[in-house]
Amino acid sequence: MSKYVIIGNGVAAAGCIEGIRSTDKTGDITIISEEKHKVYSRPLISYYLEGKTDLKRMNYRPEDFYEKNGAALRFAKAGKLDVKKRTISLSDGSTETFEKVCIAAGSAPFVPPFEGLDKVERKFTFMTLDDSLALEKALTKKSRVLIVGAGLIGLKCAEGIKERVACVTVCDLADRVLSSILDSECAAVMQKHLEKNGISFMLADTAVKFDKNKAYMKSGKEVEFDILVLAVGVRANTSLASDAGAEVNRGIIVDTQMKTTAENTYAAGDCTEGFDSSIGANRVLAILPNAYMQGFCAGVNMAGGKNSITDAIPMNSIGFFGLHCVSAGSYFEKGEGEIAGGKTEDGIKRLYIKDNRLTGYIIIGDVTGAGVYTRLVREKTDLKDLDTDKLKESATLAMFMPDARHKMLGGAV
C-alpha cells in the first residue's frame, strides 16, 4: 500500500487528497497541520468578523471529509524533511515516513522590523482563522484601528471590522489601494467607494516607528491607535523545501506536474512558484482556485496518474461593501498595446489587448461575463474571430463572428 504525506491543511491539501483518491482508492494518506482546525476557506475570515458567516459555514469540506477519504489528520508542525530517508520529523517528537510527499505549506505574513513594534500591546496579523478570532476579542466600539497595508488582506480586514469599531485608517507606502492588482484609475474608483463606506486612507505614506499606541509616519505625521493590524504582505513558506534540497526562489519551484527538484517531493498552493501562461514564465500565483488545482494535480501524479497545469493565470474576484472587482491575466503600460474600455455607470472596465489577443482585464462594478474574458485570456484566443467593438462592450456570444459562433455551438445557430 502506498503511503502519502501532505504538509499543510489548506485548500491545496484538500485538492491533493482528492487528487490522490481519484487515482489510488486505498493508499495511506496523512496530513500534517500546524493550524489546529480542519480545512476552511481563508477568504471568509473577514466575513466571519462582519457577521456574514459562522465557523461551521467556513468549512471548505464537510465534517467527515477526512474520514470519507481515509485520511489521517495530525495537528503538529513539520520539522526536518529528509527526502533520502523519506521521513518528516514533527514538533511532538514523532516521525512520519512516506513514499511521496506534497508540501502545501502556504505563506506567512511578512512583518518588517519596525522600530518600537515590540512596545505595541495590541498588534495582529490577518491571514488565518486564529488571527481573526484573536482580533475579534480585542475589538470594541471605541477602538481606533490602524491597518498597515492597503492590499487585499488589509482591505478585507478593514471591511470586516468597520461596523465593530470607532474608526479604521489604512496606510500604505504605495500611492494607491490594491497596487498589485489594480492600475491607478481603477484603484481610484475602488478607493472612493471604500471612503464612502467610512475607511480612511494615508497613501504614499506608512508607519516607520511605533511608540506604544502611536505610529510615526514617513511623512512626519503621527497616528494614535488602539489596535494595530499588520498586513504589509506575505512570503511563501519555502524553508522546509529548501532545507530538503529543493530549488526555491520566491516560492518552491515546481514543474507543470507540481514536482519539485527534490526526489519524491511535490508542492502546491501559495508556497509554490509555478508556470503562469499569461507571461510564459514561473511566478507565485497565490490564489485559492490555483491552490486547489495545483493540489489536485500533485495528488494525481503522486498516485501514479498523469496530470499537468499549463494554463494557470493570475485571477482575482473580490468585493468591498457591495462593489465587485474581477481581474485576470497580465497588464501593461500605455504604448505597449491597446488599453480599451473606460468608466461605466457604477465602475470601470479595462481591457488589455496586445498582438491581437486579450492579455488581461480589470472590471469593477458589473462583472457579468467576466468568465468569458478569463477564458479568452487563458486560451490566448486570436481576436480575429471576434467583433472587437462588441468585445469592448460586453463579454457575450454576440462578440464572436458568425462562423466562430457556429463552430462553438456545434451548428446550433
Side-chain angles (χ1 to χ4, degrees), residues 347-359:
I348 193 168
K349 178 191 287 186
R350 186 80 79 242
L351 303 177
Y352 293 82
I353 301 170
K354 185 176 181 181
D355 298 329
N356 211 39
R357 285 176 169 75
L358 183 66
T359 67

Side-chain angles (χ1 to χ4, degrees), residues 116 119-121 210-215 225:
K119 297 178 182 177
V120 179
E121 183 179 350
F210 295 97
D211 184 10
K212 295 183 179 178
N213 284 15
K214 183 181 289 188
F225 60 87

Side-chain angles (χ1 to χ4, degrees), residues 5 187 261 263 273:
V5 171
T261 56
E263 59 182 311
E273 189 171 309

Side-chain angles (χ1 to χ4, degrees), residues 8 32 48 72 93 103 188 192 196 231 253 284 316 319 380 385 412:
I32 309 300
Y48 169 76
I103 302 173
K192 183 177 180 180
K196 282 183 179 179
I253 304 298
V284 176
N316 286 283
K380 296 182 172 61
D385 291 331

Side-chain angles (χ1 to χ4, degrees), residues 158-189:
E159 179 188 39
I161 66 176
K162 172 61 183 64
E163 297 304 319
R164 305 182 66 160
V165 300
C167 63
V168 179
T169 300
V170 181
C171 67
D172 199 300
L173 193 56
D175 63 356
R176 64 186 189 271
V177 301
L178 299 169
S179 60
S180 66
I181 299 173
L182 303 181
D183 63 21
S184 296
E185 192 173 0
C186 292
V189 172

Side-chain angles (χ1 to χ4, degrees), residues 73-84:
L73 177 59
R74 295 193 60 181
F75 294 123
K77 182 176 181 178
K80 182 180 179 181
L81 170 62
D82 191 323
V83 297
K84 298 293 185 183

Side-chain angles (χ1 to χ4, degrees), residues 116-166:
L117 185 60
D118 58 324
K119 297 178 182 177
V120 179
E121 183 179 350
R122 294 186 174 183
K123 57 181 179 289
F124 304 87
T125 52
F126 195 70
M127 277 196 65
T128 68
L129 176 56
D130 285 337
D131 290 339
S132 182
L133 295 173
L135 179 58
E136 181 182 37
K137 290 179 181 178
L139 299 175
T140 73
K141 281 291 185 179
K142 295 182 179 180
S143 298
R144 300 164 298 173
V145 181
L146 174 63
I147 300 175
V148 182
L152 177 58
I153 294 173
L155 295 185
K156 290 309 290 184
C157 179
E159 179 188 39
I161 66 176
K162 172 61 183 64
E163 297 304 319
R164 305 182 66 160
V165 300

